[in-house]
Amino acid sequence: MAPDSASLDTQSLELPLYLRRPESAPSGNPRIVSFGGGHGLYAALRAFRLLTENLTAVVTVADDGGSSGRLREEFGGLPPGDLRMALAALCDDGEWGRNWRDVIQHRFSSEGSLNEHAVGNLLIAALWQILGDHVEGLDWMARLLRTHGRVLPMSSVPLAIEADVELPGGRREVIRGQSRLAATDGQVAQVRLSPPRPPARQETLDAVAQAEVVNLGPGSWYTSVMPHLLVPALADTLYRSQALKILTLNLPGAELETRGLTLAAHLDSLHAHAPRLSFDAIVVDAAAAAEEPGLEASAARLFGAQLWARPLAGRRPQQHDSLKLAACYRDLLLDAGLSVDEQW
């Protein structure tokens, strides 16, 4: 996007902690990077922000539906919706953060062209048009919201998701588009990105390379979790990382695109797409793990990981409780010898 004639004084505000790039994280503030998109990433970020101020969200950029899809089609940039959700998750719990979280999450209801547009999507799109840079625009949104962390895109270009899907009756079909794939009643065999081998932002690669903890999931398995591993530079950086690596599994039945897929099958599909990937720990809801006695063996065999089964379900059906997640992550980090700054 070409910058507008207007400009922002990017030196006028003191840089928050996550933009100061310290040589090493302060004691009790481990550098954590969490990958995902949508409501799954929202839950993980709400948990991790209670443990550190050095938190980065790496977000998928393949959304093609709703407000994001309309803005993507009109302006040609990245879809802002999942990025907005991550920013909302990192808002402060004080009056300023609560009010701005409500503002950016608000959707217009009208008979006109603004109907169902999220305010935050429009603000992000405006910053991108003014500044001409996706990351700079997101950093300015983070300053406005006084977020507890940074939000970065998975890739520097908007992406489309394409999948080979086994439909009922044995017929195979290629489904293109995040919104169509999320609603399919078929079984996903393989997922790809278009364009293939997309570039990653250097800021994103730097955050992963410097991380002490990286977490993948929870979230829509093929449209929010898997795509990160299909960006070559990002996947290579993750493979080489010496950070504590965590995979957070979905609650059963939480995603339409994986209905009928066991958690062990989730692991099989992830391993098939990223056979070089290993994890130190795989976090799963205790009740869900109890339904699959072989899950612990699958975690060890496929990824060399220890299974961490804890009660993680919230009051709302098929949603994680962020406080329960935070307690699990805290115990996991302490077990690995990392200190945390508990803010609860």
Side-chain angles (χ1 to χ4, degrees):
M1 297 181 192
D4 192 89
S5 57
S7 61
L8 296 175
D9 178 8
T10 58
Q11 304 300 317
S12 62
L13 294 176
E14 181 182 4
L15 288 177
L17 178 62
Y18 58 88
L19 289 180
R20 295 179 198 165
R21 305 187 186 282
E23 291 299 319
S24 60
S27 177
N29 273 296
R31 290 185 293 269
I32 299 176
V33 175
S34 194
F35 298 84
H39 294 283
L41 179 60
Y42 186 97
L45 294 176
R46 294 295 293 175
F48 279 124
R49 53 164 292 193
L50 299 174
L51 306 177
T52 187
E53 289 285 334
N54 278 285
L55 178 57
T56 302
V58 178
V59 184
T60 53
V61 288
D63 192 3
D64 61 357
S67 172
S68 286
R70 290 156 60 193
L71 290 170
R72 175 176 174 171
E73 183 177 355
E74 183 169 351
F75 295 112
L78 301 181
D82 283 347
L83 296 159
R84 182 201 81 246
M85 282 283 291
L87 287 163
L90 297 175
C91 282
D92 187 79
D93 285 329
E95 182 182 21
W96 181 277
R98 292 196 310 271
N99 286 338
W100 274 109
R101 181 167 63 237
D102 290 345
V103 168
I104 67 170
Q105 294 285 65
H106 176 74
R107 290 186 184 271
F108 291 104
S109 177
S110 75
E111 299 298 321
S113 58
L114 281 178
N115 186 50
E116 282 300 303
H117 268 307
V119 173
N121 290 355
L122 300 177
L123 285 172
I124 292 170
L127 283 165
W128 286 345
Q129 195 167 79
I130 292 169
L131 296 169
D133 183 83
H134 292 113
V135 169
E136 191 175 2
L138 291 169
D139 285 342
W140 266 94
M141 277 291 291
R143 293 180 185 186
L144 170 66
L145 303 173
R146 299 177 185 172
T147 61
H148 292 252
R150 193 181 195 189
V151 174
L152 295 171
M154 172 183 79
S155 175
S156 56
V157 298
L159 302 171
I161 295 178
E162 183 179 283
D164 299 327
V165 177
E166 297 277 355
L167 296 174
R171 185 168 57 91
R172 176 169 285 207
E173 179 177 291
V174 175
I175 292 181
R176 182 180 173 86
Q178 181 269 340
S179 56
R180 290 188 63 217
L181 183 58
T184 184
D185 58 355
Q187 189 98 13
V188 176
Q190 186 179 43
V191 64
R192 299 175 292 276
L193 292 178
S194 179
R197 304 185 65 80
R201 286 289 302 223
Q202 188 59 49
E203 296 92 338
T204 304
L205 300 178
D206 290 344
V208 177
Q210 296 166 12
E212 296 167 272
V213 180
V214 294
N215 173 72
L216 188 65
S220 300
W221 203 244
Y222 296 109
T223 55
S224 292
V225 175
M226 203 83 77
H228 296 281
L229 306 174
L230 304 178
V231 179
L234 185 56
D236 287 342
T237 304
L238 181 58
Y239 296 150
R240 288 185 275 105
S241 170
Q242 298 300 305
L244 177 73
K245 292 176 184 163
I246 304 169
L247 174 66
T248 304
L249 291 177
N250 293 335
L251 296 171
E255 304 298 331
L256 290 176
E257 67 189 40
T258 53
R259 65 164 70 88
L261 203 65
T262 65
L263 293 177
H266 279 70
L267 298 185
D268 286 333
S269 67
L270 186 63
H271 180 71
H273 284 81
R276 295 169 53 197
L277 186 59
S278 63
F279 291 101
D280 297 288
I282 295 180
V283 171
V284 62
D285 177 65
E291 295 294 319
E292 295 190 40
L295 188 61
E296 185 172 11
S298 292
R301 174 175 54 85
L302 295 174
F303 299 106
Q306 179 183 359
L307 196 69
W308 279 66
R310 300 287 188 277
L312 301 176
R315 294 181 179 179
R316 295 182 179 180
Q318 299 162 345
Q319 288 191 15
H320 285 89
D321 184 301
S322 289
L323 286 177
K324 292 177 181 177
L325 265 181
C328 181
Y329 291 146
R330 176 199 59 199
D331 293 346
L332 208 165
L333 267 59
L334 292 175
D335 186 70
L338 293 168
S339 59
V340 297
D341 179 23
E342 297 184 40
Q343 301 172 49
W344 47 341

